[in-house]
Amino acid sequence: MASAGKGPGDNPEECPVCLTGFDDLVQRPRTLPCGHTVCTLCIDKLKEQGRVTCPECRGSHAVPEGGQFPISYTIEAFVRRMRDVKASAAAASPPPSAGKGKGAAGSAGKMGAAGLSKKMRSLLQEQEATVVAAITACQEAQSQLDQYEATLTGWVERQQQLEDSLQGLMDQSRSSRELLQQEKFRVAPKRKEAKKKEQELQTVREKLRTRATEQEALKVLATVFHLTGEVEQVLEECQQCFPDAGILTTARKVREASSAALEAAKAVQAALETVSTEEPRPQSVPEEPRPQSDPEEPRPQSDPDLTIMEKVQFILKPSLKAEDFRSLTQRTRSLLQAGRVFAVHQVEGQRRHARISLEAGRPCLHALADHPPPLGASTLQVSQVVPPSPPCTVFLDLSWPGRAPRRVHIRLSPDTQRGRQFLMLCTGQRGPSYRGTRLYGVGDKGMPGECVWGGDYESNDGTGECVLLPGLEEGVEGRPWRAGAVWGDGRRGVFVITTRDDQGDLWPCCVFGEVVEGLHVVAEAAQHSDITEVTVVDCGVVL
């Protein structure tokens, strides 16, 4: 029986059109969008009105800009490897004059039982391992997609149940409104009847005042007795009929349920508005970095270490609460370490976000910024985690040329306006913050009572007023210089940190905090050659 011939496309080293081997010059392999490979010369011949029809699957493809389809470097690499294998096999074979004796047997031994060289067998084994790994990856992807599809099915069913429940609530609301309308229709005639009786009583009252004869008086009295009896009956009917307790109770419960549903809808809308601030990106195009975002912010969609279901579980996790930070649950700790927790603050329609990190086992809220958090991040309100006023611990990260940022922790005292303003400027809740400001002065450098000045978020040179809250001058009293004291004087909102003790003269000031960690950082900054190079690169509050 004759053996079947080799069809076009069976040999990956040849073009399926001209059956000529690919090379690195004019017949380079090029890949069509359908996945098939054709040499450059044949593609040029197949071009017709700006399109190319694939000789394998007959798919029609538009010629890309530039006039050529992409080169298949995979095929080129394969062709080069096959050339090397053939060259190695040819070098190992004896010359034809050697006959079919011992040399032929030796050649057969080198080629192996299957007629393949050792290098070819190694190449095949290597490619088989690659194929097995790809098969495993496909199977894992199918498993993940099956689970994801099942998850979506469950959520679709749950969403339908919610829609049905909401529709039932809408039906109840409509029925309640109709009942209230009916009650209103019942009230109207009784109100008119009571009004009519009131007018009749007013008329009788006038007659009681004007009747002079006994006969007229008796007649009016009879009218009074009759009319008051009718009025008592009307009033009794009003008391018995109104209100309808069943209608009002139903209306109250429906209104409470509707209000709760409306508040939930508002929360969903707010969340959707946060999501909508993310830049849309095609699924097939790698995500480009956002110019205004922190490059270290993780994005679960592009995290190569997470499976599909791990991403799903991360995104669908319930929102964090303030209690989670107090107890620092394992989930909260993991999210904080991954940089996936943000606090939201909205003032006058402007929504800002603050990153929350975990540093030395303590959650820290960093100053608010305008750029949105990554899609799928866990969020909560700033007011849920930041105290409205001290006592609390805040931080400033100081840096200057040649020195990496280092942290200074300040414990703010309770019940001072300056402490409240300092807290607001560490978080940025009123708009401005200390982030990006510079220290602008040193007092008594190298001497007792040495101190540094900073916090001018308006002009960054000490000339700004920097007043967010009234009453900053409150609490001023004479105090000795004490290292670590954080204070201010007068009505301006800048701050001063004392770095060296001085038990001499008292200085009128308002001490509102104390450096509890990192005083050496401030002392080193005071010795820097140019204090205006010392920058607050970050700030925030320890939660």
Side-chain angles (χ1 to χ4, degrees):
M1 185 174 67
S3 60
K6 184 171 68 173
D10 290 342
N11 188 350
E13 302 177 67
E14 295 179 349
C15 172
V17 179
C18 62
L19 301 180
T20 303
F22 294 119
D23 59 35
D24 298 333
L25 299 174
V26 295
Q27 289 185 297
R28 301 188 73 177
R30 295 186 180 273
T31 302
L32 299 176
C34 59
H36 295 112
T37 306
V38 183
C39 75
T40 302
L41 290 179
C42 290
I43 285 183
D44 291 338
K45 295 176 183 178
L46 292 172
K47 290 179 182 177
E48 185 175 346
Q49 296 182 349
R51 301 189 70 83
V52 169
T53 300
C54 175
E56 296 278 4
C57 64
R58 311 307 298 170
S60 179
H61 310 292
V63 178
E65 294 183 9
Q68 288 295 352
F69 293 92
I71 295 172
S72 177
Y73 295 103
T74 303
I75 293 295
E76 283 194 339
F78 178 77
V79 169
R80 284 195 293 270
R81 295 193 68 173
M82 291 305 298
R83 286 176 184 169
D84 293 342
V85 170
K86 291 177 181 178
S88 299
S93 301
S97 59
K100 298 182 181 180
K102 183 177 178 182
S107 175
K110 288 185 180 232
M111 294 296 290
L116 299 176
S117 69
K118 183 177 181 180
K119 191 168 185 179
M120 175 58 79
R121 289 198 304 273
S122 175
L123 175 62
L124 292 177
Q125 291 173 355
E126 178 184 331
Q127 294 305 312
E128 182 181 5
T130 302
V131 171
V132 169
I135 291 174
T136 302
C138 288
Q139 292 173 342
E140 176 62 25
Q142 292 177 60
S143 175
Q144 290 287 316
L145 291 172
D146 286 343
Q147 295 179 58
Y148 183 40
E149 185 177 18
T151 301
L152 291 175
T153 300
W155 274 74
V156 168
E157 293 175 353
R158 178 58 180 156
Q159 202 66 30
Q160 183 62 55
Q161 294 173 0
L162 291 174
E163 290 179 18
D164 294 342
S165 299
L166 290 173
Q167 185 59 50
L169 180 59
M170 288 293 295
D171 294 341
Q172 291 178 2
S173 178
R174 189 177 299 108
S175 298
S176 176
R177 177 168 52 81
E178 292 173 354
L179 289 174
L180 290 171
Q181 194 66 35
Q182 293 174 10
E183 182 74 346
K184 180 181 175 182
F185 291 152
R186 285 203 315 130
V187 168
K190 281 297 179 184
R191 180 178 52 79
K192 291 180 180 179
E193 186 177 1
K195 181 66 175 178
K196 180 181 177 182
K197 294 302 180 184
E198 179 197 357
Q199 292 173 348
E200 291 178 359
L201 288 170
Q202 292 287 1
T203 302
V204 169
R205 182 185 180 189
E206 290 298 324
K207 290 180 179 181
L208 287 171
R209 291 177 177 179
T210 57
R211 296 309 170 193
T213 66
E214 289 286 335
Q215 186 176 359
E216 290 176 346
L218 291 173
K219 185 176 181 181
V220 172
L221 289 174
T223 303
V224 169
F225 295 149
H226 176 72
L227 184 57
T228 53
E230 291 180 347
V231 168
E232 289 176 358
Q233 183 177 355
V234 170
L235 295 177
E236 185 178 355
E237 290 175 356
C238 290
Q239 288 293 330
Q240 291 178 350
C241 296
F242 304 110
D244 188 313
I247 291 178
L248 293 188
T249 301
T250 301
R252 176 179 58 80
K253 291 182 177 180
V254 170
R255 183 174 61 181
E256 290 173 352
S258 300
S259 298
L262 183 59
E263 289 301 319
K266 289 180 180 178
V268 171
Q269 184 61 35
L272 292 176
E273 288 174 0
T274 301
V275 170
S276 67
T277 59
E278 293 296 310
E279 296 179 4
R281 56 187 184 281
Q283 293 294 325
S284 59
V285 180
E287 180 188 1
E288 297 181 357
R290 297 171 294 165
Q292 295 183 341
S293 297
D294 185 347
E296 296 182 359
E297 287 180 357
R299 302 179 66 84
Q301 292 79 2
S302 58
D303 192 337
D305 297 328
L306 296 179
T307 66
I308 293 175
M309 287 309 298
E310 286 173 338
K311 295 176 186 177
V312 170
Q313 293 168 3
F314 166 75
I315 294 172
L316 298 184
K317 283 288 186 182
S319 301
L320 292 176
K321 298 180 176 60
E323 296 76 22
D324 297 324
F325 291 92
R326 285 192 284 270
S327 58
L328 266 187
T329 62
Q330 183 57 46
R331 173 175 174 258
T332 304
R333 187 180 295 273
S334 299
L335 290 173
L336 289 170
Q337 290 171 340
R340 292 172 174 167
V341 182
F342 286 77
V344 184
H345 185 66
Q346 184 166 340
V347 177
E348 296 180 353
Q350 182 184 13
R351 183 186 297 272
R352 306 173 73 206
H353 300 83
R355 180 170 59 93
I356 302 178
S357 62
L358 186 66
E359 301 177 33
R362 296 182 292 187
C364 297
L365 180 139
H366 300 253
L368 288 156
D370 292 330
H371 61 74
L375 186 63
S378 296
T379 60
L380 68 169
Q381 296 295 319
V382 168
S383 58
Q384 291 181 262
V385 291
V386 175
S389 61
C392 60
T393 300
V394 296
F395 65 86
L396 304 175
D397 288 349
L398 302 183
S399 178
W400 56 91
R403 296 295 298 188
R406 288 179 294 169
R407 182 154 296 182
V408 179
H409 285 99
I410 299 172
R411 182 67 179 175
L412 299 179
S413 306
D415 301 327
T416 67
Q417 284 293 80
R418 285 188 177 274
R420 295 185 184 96
Q421 174 163 306
F422 199 91
L423 173 60
M424 289 179 178
L425 287 167
C426 283
T427 61
Q429 288 173 270
R430 287 287 187 93
S433 75
Y434 288 136
R435 179 190 286 161
T437 63
R438 298 190 298 268
L439 302 185
Y440 61 82
V442 182
D444 295 328
K445 185 172 182 178
M447 302 171 59
E450 177 186 76
C451 57
V452 299
W453 297 72
D456 184 0
Y457 60 84
E458 293 181 346
S459 56
N460 235 348
D461 58 6
T463 61
E465 291 296 322
C466 307
V467 176
L468 290 180
L469 299 176
L472 296 183
E473 70 280 2
E474 297 175 1
V476 174
E477 57 181 317
R479 291 173 178 263
W481 298 103
R482 182 169 51 83
V486 183
W487 53 278
D489 63 346
R491 297 176 180 273
R492 297 172 61 239
V494 297
F495 65 83
V496 189
I497 302 178
T498 304
T499 55
R500 297 193 182 193
D501 291 331
D502 184 0
Q503 300 300 324
D505 297 336
L506 301 182
W507 183 264
C509 61
C510 174
V511 176
F512 59 87
E514 180 180 5
V515 176
V516 292
E517 291 182 43
L519 181 59
H520 67 284
V521 177
V522 186
E524 289 182 30
Q527 302 307 311
H528 184 60
S529 58
D530 185 357
I531 192 64
T532 61
E533 291 183 340
V534 180
T535 303
V536 179
V537 295
D538 199 5
C539 54
V541 58
V542 179
L543 304 180

